Amino acid sequence: MKSTVKKAYLAMLLSVSVAALAVAAEVKPGEPAASGAASEAPKASKPHWSWQPVQAQFIPVVKQKEWVRSPLDGFVLAKIESKTLTPSKDADRATFIRRATLDAWGVVPTPEEVDAFVNDSSPDAFEKLVDRLLASPRYGERQARLWLDLARYADSTGFQNDNTRPNLFRYRDYVIKSFNEDKPYSRFIQEQIAGDELAPGDQDILVATGFLAGYPDNSNSRDLIQRKYQITTDIVDTIGQAILGTTVGCARCHNHKTDKFTQKDYYSLQAFFANTAFEEKAPATKGEQELVYEKARAIYDEATKDIRAKQKAIIDSVHDAALKYHKERYLTDSRESIFKPKEQWNALDRWVNHRLEAVTDQPQLAAFLRYAAEDKTAPEHNPEIVQKFEEYQKLTRELQKYADKKPSRGANTFTTATELGHPDAPPTHIFFGGNHEKPLDEVQPAFPEGMTTEKPDIKPTATSSGRRTALANWLASPSNPLTARVFVNRIWNQYFGKGIVATVSDFGKAGDKPTNPELLDYLADRFIKDGWSVKKLHRDILLSSTYRQSSDYRPEVAKVDPENKLLAVFPRKRLEAEEIRDSILVASGKLNEEVGGPSVFPPIPANLTGGNNFNADPSWTTSKDPKDHTRRSIYIFTRRSLPYPLLETFDMANAQQIHSKREVTTTPLQALTLYNSDQVFQWSQALAGRVISEAGPDESAQIDRLYQILFSRKATDAEKEVLRAFLDQHQKTIAQKGDEGKLAIALPIGAKEKPADPLRASAFVDLVHTVLNSNDFVYRF
């Protein structure tokens, strides 16, 4: 049947192609073409600029040679001077350290760090600052957040059940650790694509394949053949955008409309993953976290032992019928593999049955009880089955009463890619229109033909196909024209708010052209020659004159270069969602600096609990330990169906898809969130207490200290005058509420001494809360 369908579609495609060629030649089908038309060979077109090899660049000759601190400055300055402009003066040191700390760490610096740098008269003061920033664990946390956006990282699967992925935090920690250790980017890529093939048995590397396993997943899918296709589609599209900066996914249904990606190219890339499955419950090495989890789990297991035993006994009494019922719920193609004897399994059958086992649990089998009890026409329906179903439901309700004893975070397992111990892979076909039910030609693993003539060097092992290693080696090769270019452009985008190629995940013809192609190739070439060192790349940018520039407005630059593509002025940038929350925590002195570990659940509004599956874990169980509430935002549990509200308001990444670049919206809801969030207000109280303790009773000194903590500078006389007026007026407002019997004051938290004037102290808390909501805080300059 499939062969007949295949031939029919090939015949149709051939007829369409002939007709299209005839129209292009302005003749009717069947008529001869014009004389000489067929003899003229088409000229070979030059590859798109991004598909051409990275070239070493000569540093341009510039007039203002003393401005060039780093070779990259020469490329920037040449463009500036070509428009008869000059670069901006250096930013003052306080502005620079706040800017650099936010960009490298994602949080504001402390006043002590600012003072130390401002007063450092040594010739290598900037170098010492940058090296300190890059050596801190906070650097890895900040850089990991940007990569996790691309990896569509989440702690849950999405879709209607949005099941928890309790151990995927290990992948997040792998990313943080890799950036902190300055793992070469080439190796970083290889481990995420093929860690299980490169280092079988090494948990530290195996967890890297969480990059592949982060796809949104529907465990209830009844078409496992389609699910396999959807998973490989997600993986290929993610690699295309995140690593290669291409929209290769557009070639899934048809040849790419603008770039030279064919459908064959797309499915040849999918073939690298034809044999890839995932083990989501691999036993983890026992460490402190695992022991804590197992201790908590043991308490739950002991408390629910009898209930779970009774449930199991009920399911065991109908196990064979329940399993048969469960298997029969899958579609025809899936059932072909599911009901086939194991000794007859091929590579596809192994994948299907591995997936079936992974998604089959006791609640799935219990669905048979509901069917047999409620459907009176079912052959299995009888009073006994009704009684068993009612008893099972009763036990389930009893089990729910112990939900608070069940550990809500942590795991003693990890997730890794696997090829199920076999080197042979299921076939991969081109699908007509992207429809997996309409296969055409079979394809083998291959790199895009328009990009390279290189062939994959695939070396199967006894337990794996070796395909992903071949792909990983090509992606991380110095000869790959895209990998280095795309990554250095992302880092440039991080620091300057816009990439040299503005469309950071589309280096194709439909994307933007580079504003400074020579600079892009210089950075990519230098990156490769520096051993793919990410820290060296960051260091070069942070120490450049380009990065040191002031962000002060210059009308002559705005007139010539309104979009600031030349970078003659340093671009101002709104802080990202995590930077805002984490900087508030730093300012209030509340930040828990613990690195790594299971994701945490800080409080959320009570009306945002989300929908729960009857047998699933609660969508959000606020962490019992208050220290978890003040962890860095990267450690907040990322539930696809329930984004953390404070972060979502400020444009956090959408974990449902590859998130290439943070959007910047400005809405009233953002101000209202900061004003009305109970947590933000409590942190404002703590910040007020800190300011009073550190500055003493003098209000002028208090305002200066507040500004030093938040803005890395002192307040101006004009700002102090406005703030004192606010205090006076607000104190009267609070007092008036007292006269009306509505008095409710919020005092500073953590101050060394009780306030002499509670009304004034309460007004100061509101002042702090207001200043925290200012542009000067949520922007870096």
Side-chain angles (χ1 to χ4, degrees):
M1 180 63 184
K2 288 185 178 179
S3 176
T4 304
V5 171
K6 175 179 173 181
K7 289 178 180 178
Y9 275 103
L10 284 172
M12 185 181 75
L13 287 173
L14 181 61
S15 65
V16 171
S17 300
V18 170
L21 288 170
V23 171
E26 296 185 348
V27 296
K28 296 178 181 179
E31 291 184 356
S35 175
S39 62
E40 293 180 11
K43 295 181 180 179
S45 60
K46 192 175 182 180
H48 185 57
W49 69 265
S50 67
W51 289 14
Q52 296 175 34
V54 172
Q55 300 290 338
Q57 299 291 315
F58 292 103
I59 301 172
V61 176
V62 294
K63 298 176 183 176
Q64 198 174 330
K65 295 182 177 63
E66 69 281 359
W67 190 77
V68 178
R69 292 186 173 103
S70 167
L72 69 87
D73 291 326
F75 295 94
V76 174
L77 184 57
K79 293 287 186 182
I80 293 173
E81 291 183 342
S82 71
K83 299 296 183 181
T84 65
L85 295 171
T86 58
S88 294
K89 64 181 182 180
D90 284 359
D92 64 80
R93 283 199 175 191
T95 298
F96 179 85
I97 186 175
R98 186 177 191 269
R99 172 194 301 173
T101 306
L102 280 164
D103 283 345
W105 285 2
V107 294
V108 291
T110 65
E112 292 72 27
E113 290 168 339
V114 175
D115 288 344
F117 176 63
V118 168
N119 297 318
D120 188 350
S121 58
S122 61
D124 61 345
F126 281 85
E127 286 79 1
K128 288 190 295 185
L129 167 64
V130 169
D131 289 342
R132 178 175 65 82
L133 293 176
L134 298 180
S136 168
R138 291 181 176 180
Y139 160 81
E141 291 172 324
R142 167 63 181 154
Q143 306 315 315
R145 179 64 269 170
L146 303 176
W147 182 260
L148 295 175
D149 286 4
L150 295 168
R152 76 274 187 252
Y153 172 82
D155 295 296
S156 69
T157 60
F159 288 90
Q160 64 268 34
N161 285 340
D162 201 18
N163 297 323
T164 294
R165 283 173 164 158
N167 63 34
L168 208 60
F169 72 88
R170 300 184 196 278
Y171 169 69
R172 178 247 290 147
D173 287 355
Y174 161 84
V175 176
I176 294 172
K177 187 169 182 259
S178 295
F179 280 113
N180 276 330
E181 292 178 347
D182 198 23
K183 179 172 289 186
Y185 182 66
S186 54
R187 182 66 184 180
F188 181 62
I189 294 302
Q190 290 171 319
E191 290 175 353
Q192 291 179 88
I193 303 300
D196 58 308
E197 293 185 335
L198 296 171
D202 186 341
Q203 180 181 318
D204 291 341
I205 306 301
L206 292 174
V207 297
T209 57
F211 174 77
L212 304 178
Y215 52 86
D217 195 14
N218 182 9
S219 61
N220 282 343
S221 173
R222 295 303 174 185
D223 188 343
L224 300 184
I225 305 298
Q226 181 190 53
R227 191 83 277 267
K228 182 179 190 302
Y229 173 46
Q230 290 170 335
I231 289 170
T232 52
T233 293
D234 177 273
I235 290 171
V236 170
D237 292 358
T238 299
I239 290 171
Q241 289 189 53
I243 299 174
L244 294 175
T246 68
T247 54
V248 64
C250 293
R252 179 167 65 93
C253 302
H254 50 71
N255 293 345
H256 202 290
K257 296 298 185 184
T258 57
D259 298 329
K260 290 188 176 180
F261 288 118
T262 64
Q263 266 196 298
K264 181 182 177 184
D265 289 330
Y266 183 80
Y267 288 101
S268 295
L269 287 174
Q270 280 210 356
F272 285 104
F273 301 94
N275 201 38
T276 304
F278 296 94
E279 174 54 65
E280 298 179 355
K281 296 181 180 179
T285 302
K286 294 284 174 53
E288 182 180 353
Q289 186 279 138
E290 290 72 26
L291 294 175
V292 169
Y293 170 80
E294 290 181 351
K295 182 178 179 181
R297 181 74 199 201
I299 294 172
Y300 172 80
D301 288 345
E302 180 62 29
T304 61
K305 180 172 60 176
D306 291 342
I307 298 173
R308 291 182 297 104
K310 291 176 182 177
Q311 282 190 319
K312 184 177 183 300
I314 293 173
I315 295 298
D316 285 348
S317 70
V318 296
H319 182 272
D320 291 346
L323 184 59
K324 181 174 180 291
Y325 173 82
H326 176 64
K327 290 180 176 180
E328 288 173 344
R329 303 282 71 75
Y330 289 91
L331 300 190
T332 304
D333 284 357
S334 303
R335 294 202 302 269
E336 287 180 10
S337 296
I338 290 171
F339 287 102
K340 186 183 291 186
K342 187 172 183 178
E343 61 272 14
Q344 297 178 20
W345 285 357
N346 57 29
L348 179 60
D349 299 328
R350 284 194 300 270
W351 192 98
V352 169
N353 281 281
H354 173 77
R355 170 73 182 191
L356 175 67
E357 183 180 359
V359 299
T360 301
D361 54 16
Q362 186 168 291
Q364 291 284 349
L365 297 179
F368 167 75
L369 288 174
R370 179 181 294 276
Y371 149 74
E374 295 182 348
D375 186 350
K376 296 181 180 180
T377 65
E380 301 88 350
H381 180 77
N382 57 59
E384 182 183 0
I385 207 78
V386 172
Q387 182 181 357
K388 287 182 178 181
F389 175 58
E390 290 175 349
E391 178 63 19
Y392 190 87
Q393 282 188 307
K394 179 182 177 182
L395 291 167
T396 300
R397 289 191 291 269
E398 285 294 314
L399 198 62
Q400 290 290 330
K401 296 177 182 179
Y402 294 88
D404 62 331
K405 292 185 178 296
K406 192 175 183 180
S408 61
R409 55 188 293 254
N412 58 356
T413 58
F414 67 92
T415 293
T416 180
T418 174
E419 302 217 346
L420 304 179
H422 293 268
D424 59 322
T428 301
H429 292 269
I430 299 172
F431 292 138
F432 180 80
N435 186 338
H436 77 286
E437 295 181 339
K438 297 178 180 179
L440 301 174
D441 290 337
E442 183 177 348
V443 294
Q444 299 300 321
F447 309 133
E449 293 180 356
M451 187 182 297
T452 180
T453 58
E454 185 179 345
K455 305 299 180 186
D457 181 17
I458 299 174
K459 297 175 180 176
T461 69
T463 59
S464 195
S465 68
R467 292 183 176 192
R468 282 179 287 116
T469 297
L471 176 63
N473 289 341
W474 176 70
L475 291 171
S477 169
S479 63
N480 188 302
L482 285 169
T483 304
R485 277 192 181 115
V486 169
F487 186 73
V488 300
N489 186 66
R490 292 194 191 281
I491 302 304
W492 194 265
N493 175 78
Q494 174 187 342
Y495 282 108
F496 297 102
K498 182 181 289 185
I500 300 169
V501 177
T503 50
V504 292
S505 289
D506 187 359
F507 274 47
K509 290 182 180 178
D512 290 349
K513 293 181 179 179
T515 55
N516 197 328
E518 297 81 12
L519 172 61
L520 182 63
D521 265 23
Y522 163 77
L523 291 170
D525 179 63
R526 176 72 180 270
F527 183 47
I528 294 169
K529 289 176 178 174
D530 279 341
W532 301 83
S533 169
V534 179
K535 283 192 176 182
K536 285 183 180 178
L537 174 62
H538 282 273
R539 192 176 192 275
D540 284 348
I541 294 174
L542 285 164
L543 291 175
S544 67
S545 290
T546 306
Y547 186 75
R548 288 194 199 183
Q549 291 180 100
S550 167
S551 64
D552 291 347
Y553 177 75
R554 294 171 61 196
E556 72 276 17
V557 173
K559 182 178 180 181
V560 175
D561 182 26
E563 295 183 42
N564 199 25
K565 293 181 178 180
L566 300 174
L567 289 178
V569 173
F570 188 80
R572 302 180 179 195
K573 182 183 174 186
R574 213 274 308 280
L575 302 187
E576 293 169 9
E578 294 85 352
E579 291 178 296
I580 293 172
R581 178 181 177 275
D582 295 348
S583 291
I584 294 174
L585 285 170
V586 168
S588 66
K590 292 292 186 180
L591 181 67
N592 176 355
E593 297 190 34
E594 181 184 349
V595 176
S599 297
V600 298
F601 295 87
I604 61 172
N607 61 331
L608 288 179
T609 55
N612 295 323
N613 179 279
F614 185 68
N615 295 301
D617 295 329
S619 293
W620 199 273
T621 303
T622 301
S623 299
K624 296 177 182 177
D625 188 345
K627 290 186 294 185
D628 287 346
H629 303 174
T630 55
R631 294 287 302 281
R632 280 199 71 158
S633 299
I634 193 172
Y635 301 116
I636 293 177
F637 191 96
T638 304
R639 186 169 290 287
R640 283 189 159 108
S641 63
L642 186 60
Y644 187 63
L646 178 60
L647 301 182
E648 185 182 31
T649 303
F650 285 95
D651 311 307
M652 69 178 286
N654 180 356
Q656 301 282 15
Q657 59 195 13
I658 307 146
H659 201 105
S660 300
K661 185 176 181 179
R662 294 295 181 94
E663 301 299 325
V664 178
T665 63
T666 304
T667 68
L669 188 59
Q670 291 164 349
L672 291 171
T673 297
L674 290 181
Y675 275 129
N676 296 322
S677 166
D678 290 339
Q679 279 195 303
V680 173
F681 187 75
Q682 289 169 13
W683 297 335
S684 297
Q685 288 178 278
L687 174 54
R690 175 189 174 185
V691 167
I692 293 171
S693 294
E694 294 177 0
D698 182 74
E699 285 186 351
S700 178
Q702 289 174 2
I703 293 172
D704 275 339
R705 189 59 177 174
L706 177 63
Y707 269 54
Q708 287 171 330
I709 292 170
L710 296 180
F711 310 146
S712 300
R713 65 176 177 85
K714 291 184 178 181
T716 64
D717 290 341
E719 288 168 332
K720 286 183 179 179
E721 184 178 348
V722 170
L723 292 177
R724 285 197 190 98
F726 172 90
L727 280 173
D728 293 339
Q729 180 59 45
H730 202 59
Q731 182 176 359
K732 293 177 184 177
T733 301
I734 295 172
Q736 184 178 349
K737 288 183 178 180
D739 294 339
E740 297 170 356
K742 302 175 182 178
L743 181 62
I745 60 175
L747 298 176
I749 296 174
K752 293 178 181 178
E753 299 179 3
K754 290 185 178 181
D757 185 347
L759 294 182
R760 192 71 172 181
S762 181
F764 185 69
V765 169
D766 288 335
L767 180 146
V768 169
H769 193 199
T770 302
V771 173
L772 203 60
N773 205 355
S774 65
N775 272 358
D776 274 25
F777 179 66
V778 297
Y779 273 79
R780 71 105 167 95
F781 302 92

